[in-house]
Amino acid sequence: MKTLTSTAAALAMTATAALATDSTLGGDPITAETLIDQAEIVRVADAIDAAVDAKDWNLARSYFTDTIDVDFTSLVGGEPATIPADGLISGWSGNLTAEKTSFHLRGNHRITFHDPGSATMLSHGYAWNRMERGALEENGGNPLWEVWGTYEHGFARTPDGWKVNAMTFNATAERGSEFVRNTPGS
């Protein structure tokens, strides 16, 4: 029994040591500095979702640099572009008006630090939109639209903290009402 206990303890210590050396954060070693930055980067990305769902457009805008590289081509077509962040927020607020309820959720955040002032975060994302007019027969009879995909956010450290300077969404699946997806709320 004593040998079994010693063997189990040795295996547990070996596994713990292996996990500690293999623990990475988007390919980067976890340190006290990167862990704090990682927490702040995740907070900013999640706060964008919360602000959008609350339709607090000023708060949502505060998480972006003045210009942003965007790529939503997998969802809406077109070309990737560099645009004013005010334009991104204007587009979101024009589509997600009070009539259209939304719920955004992201997880599985993976962060790579390129240098002390820049990072990239990959994550999985889900969005749900509901608009009662979609339930009308002439609008397709379905008030819901959902999309799943992956995000890539670029972050820059600014005097005001970490801000998003790039955002790509790669849609992997969607279902529901195209009317709800494409019609701005009133």
Side-chain angles (χ1 to χ4, degrees):
M1 182 68 164
K2 187 175 186 179
T3 303
L4 182 58
T5 304
S6 297
T7 303
L11 285 173
M13 287 188 292
T14 302
T16 301
L19 287 174
T21 58
D22 289 342
S23 291
T24 59
L25 182 62
D28 294 340
I30 296 174
T31 65
E33 182 179 297
T34 61
L35 188 58
I36 291 167
D37 285 336
Q38 183 226 16
E40 181 60 10
I41 287 169
V42 169
R43 184 195 71 79
V44 167
D46 289 345
I48 291 169
D49 289 344
V52 166
D53 291 339
K55 299 177 185 1
D56 187 337
W57 305 116
N58 289 330
L59 181 61
R61 170 59 184 90
S62 74
Y63 297 117
F64 292 96
T65 56
D66 288 339
T67 58
I68 178 170
D69 296 328
V70 295
D71 183 351
F72 295 104
T73 56
S74 70
L75 191 60
V76 297
E79 296 292 326
T82 300
I83 63 171
D86 291 338
L88 176 67
I89 299 302
S90 177
W92 287 350
S93 66
N95 185 277
L96 295 172
T97 62
E99 181 187 15
K100 191 182 284 188
T101 304
S102 66
F103 174 82
H104 292 81
L105 182 67
R106 78 181 70 241
N108 197 16
H109 305 94
R110 295 162 323 276
I111 299 167
T112 300
F113 294 94
H114 306 292
D115 58 50
S118 68
T120 300
M121 183 181 78
L122 305 175
S123 61
H124 295 283
Y126 168 76
W128 173 94
N129 286 212
R130 180 179 180 91
M131 189 165 66
E132 287 304 317
R133 278 192 295 143
L136 299 174
E137 187 176 325
E138 65 266 23
N139 296 333
N142 182 356
L144 301 176
W145 176 75
E146 301 170 281
V147 64
W148 293 260
T150 58
Y151 282 99
E152 181 175 331
H153 286 82
F155 283 85
R157 188 188 307 266
T158 73
D160 296 323
W162 288 101
K163 303 268 185 174
V164 173
N165 65 1
M167 186 174 185
T168 297
F169 181 72
N170 292 302
T172 56
E174 66 178 283
R175 70 176 174 192
S177 171
E178 286 191 29
F179 176 85
V180 173
R181 174 190 170 189
N182 297 327
T183 304
S186 57

